[in-house]
Amino acid sequence: MMVKFTTYKLLFILVLSLAGCGNMFTKNKTRFHWLATESAPRNYPMRIIDGTFYYHNEKGGLYVPTAASIGHHWGTGESTHVVGEDFKALPDRLDIRFFSFTENKLYQGSFDLPYNKILTLFKEGVTKDKERPIFNTIMVGVAPGGGVSVWVTGRETREVFFGQAEQYEMEIKNPLGGEIKDRAAYARSYLEDLPSDVLAGIDKNGVSFGLWQQYRMSYKWIPVFKTEQKISDDTKYSFFNGENYRLDYPFNEQVMTSTRPLPLLIGFGCHIEGTEKKYFFVTRFDYEEFKAGFDKLDGVNELVNIEIEPKLPKNLTKVRLYNSKGSIELKKTSTD
């Protein structure tokens, strides 16, 4: 009988109490307090076999945590181990090997990482808040088909790399080192934990290869809040590509003119007429409907307005896309 192991998550809280460590980096400003974590898409369980973030210009590095199975949410870390020196160089390379349960396939890759970009983000994160720097973790995400993402994360998440791992073959053991006699049965045992409709869809339609690379595609868009009431000064965004951060509202010229991946959700505070109370709204989007609307309105080249009309009860909130090419009311959004 095959022994099945449930996903484990090891999370340790690192409390910094040493005097002089508030700025989170050493005098040369290239060594930081950071940890490693891993991620995989919901409904597509994966397993990290092994992985290492190699320190800049060094032979050693920090290992990527491993678990029996991961797959909570793309861009959300699952395991964090407090190991290594307090101050570590940031990585410039990644080696990773992983197993895709939905495919019963192994992947491996060795990648050069954009060290200067990572360094800049960490430095900016310290400049914004020396006591609680924005970034304190580097996360690798693995997806079916061999997709590999790397993000810097903490109170925000920013993608810094996307690459393609290659398929390979070798014998693997279960997380406790035991022999796997039937790898197909081993892979299937983890899929049986998926919701029945999700598993039926995978069995019928297969895996959505390339989806995670599509999530990275940038469009021209801004949100428009259709209300005469005051919107909170900052708005929260989570993106299909795993990023999340806040933007000050009203938006500056850089935000108005830049391109970004499509948002998974937009969160904002809104005062309600006739009361002193402010409600927080979170509008979530359906990727297929959203992308189809942007493609129809030529969102790659033309600015698309995402109009949100907040209402109470919140599920009555209306959302549409519009620009000079047309207007599309979205039917598959949800607001709570």
Side-chain angles (χ1 to χ4, degrees):
M1 181 178 68
M2 178 174 297
V3 178
K4 181 177 176 182
F5 301 91
T6 58
T7 303
Y8 66 86
K9 298 180 181 179
L10 298 176
L11 177 62
F12 298 90
I13 300 175
L14 180 63
V15 180
L16 300 175
S17 57
L18 297 176
C21 287
N23 63 6
M24 300 295 282
F25 56 78
T26 56
K27 291 181 179 180
N28 64 16
K29 299 183 181 181
T30 61
R31 304 179 78 85
F32 298 78
H33 281 285
W34 65 274
L35 304 174
T37 188
E38 83 285 36
S39 178
R42 183 186 298 275
N43 297 328
Y44 294 95
M46 312 289 289
R47 175 185 165 193
I48 303 290
I49 304 299
D50 57 58
T52 302
F53 284 114
Y54 288 98
Y55 305 135
H56 179 56
N57 287 337
E58 297 182 23
K59 293 182 179 180
L62 185 61
Y63 70 86
V64 177
T66 60
S69 172
I70 58 173
H72 176 65
H73 187 75
W74 189 239
T76 298
E78 301 207 24
S79 306
T80 306
H81 302 172
V82 179
V83 295
E85 301 292 332
D86 283 345
F87 295 105
K88 298 183 283 289
L90 296 169
D92 61 7
R93 291 156 290 147
L94 167 68
D95 283 350
I96 191 76
R97 296 192 301 162
F98 56 96
F99 181 69
S100 172
F101 289 96
T102 53
E103 306 166 81
N104 185 19
K105 290 182 179 180
L106 285 158
Y107 292 92
Q108 65 181 358
S110 296
F111 306 102
D112 291 328
L113 300 180
Y115 171 76
N116 289 332
K117 183 175 183 178
I118 296 171
L119 177 62
T120 297
L121 285 167
F122 266 80
K123 284 184 174 180
E124 289 177 350
V126 172
T127 300
K128 290 180 181 179
D129 191 334
K130 292 184 178 180
E131 297 304 318
R132 292 180 62 232
I134 304 298
F135 304 108
N136 56 25
T137 303
I138 300 178
M139 174 168 53
V140 56
V142 294
V148 177
S149 278
V150 176
W151 303 267
V152 297
T153 187
R155 285 188 284 144
E156 296 182 2
T157 302
R158 303 280 184 162
E159 184 192 80
V160 295
F161 174 81
F162 187 88
Q164 179 65 47
E166 300 295 329
Q167 187 179 344
Y168 76 105
E169 278 301 327
M170 66 170 288
E171 291 185 2
I172 59 172
K173 298 183 181 298
N174 65 40
L176 296 184
E179 181 183 1
I180 297 175
K181 295 182 179 180
D182 186 338
R183 203 174 82 181
Y186 163 73
R188 185 69 183 186
S189 70
Y190 283 88
L191 300 184
E192 290 172 352
D193 288 336
L194 297 175
S196 58
D197 59 328
V198 171
L199 181 55
I202 292 174
D203 287 340
K204 180 180 179 180
N205 303 315
V207 177
S208 300
F209 295 113
L211 183 62
W212 297 273
Q213 188 166 8
Q214 289 182 28
Y215 286 163
R216 306 176 62 251
M217 187 172 182
S218 289
Y219 295 87
K220 297 180 179 179
W221 59 268
I222 58 168
V224 176
F225 302 103
K226 189 179 180 182
T227 174
E228 296 180 357
Q229 306 308 313
K230 182 181 178 181
I231 299 296
S232 56
D233 294 337
D234 63 354
T235 48
K236 176 183 178 182
Y237 301 84
S238 291
F239 299 82
F240 284 100
N241 75 330
E243 293 184 295
N244 71 77
Y245 50 80
R246 295 178 180 272
L247 293 173
D248 291 335
Y249 183 84
F251 306 116
N252 58 34
E253 183 178 354
Q254 180 181 2
V255 173
M256 298 283 285
T257 57
S258 62
T259 62
R260 293 172 294 277
L262 294 180
L264 169 68
L265 65 82
I266 297 176
F268 61 96
C270 180
H271 291 271
I272 299 300
E273 185 176 4
T275 75
E276 296 296 324
K277 188 172 183 179
K278 182 174 74 172
Y279 293 83
F280 193 76
F281 292 76
V282 178
T283 297
R284 294 176 171 82
F285 304 95
D286 176 84
Y287 179 73
E288 291 184 359
E289 179 187 47
F290 215 26
K291 184 177 184 302
F294 269 80
D295 289 344
K296 186 174 182 179
L297 298 177
D298 193 20
V300 173
N301 300 303
E302 300 288 337
L303 179 68
V304 175
N305 298 285
I306 305 173
E307 181 187 81
I308 302 176
E309 185 177 0
K311 292 181 176 292
L312 293 178
K314 294 179 181 178
N315 61 2
L316 297 180
T317 296
K318 295 182 178 180
V319 184
R320 72 176 178 124
L321 307 177
Y322 73 91
N323 61 13
S324 61
K325 294 183 178 294
S327 175
I328 300 172
E329 184 176 354
L330 299 181
K331 303 291 188 181
K332 297 182 179 181
T333 62
S334 64
T335 300
D336 52 33

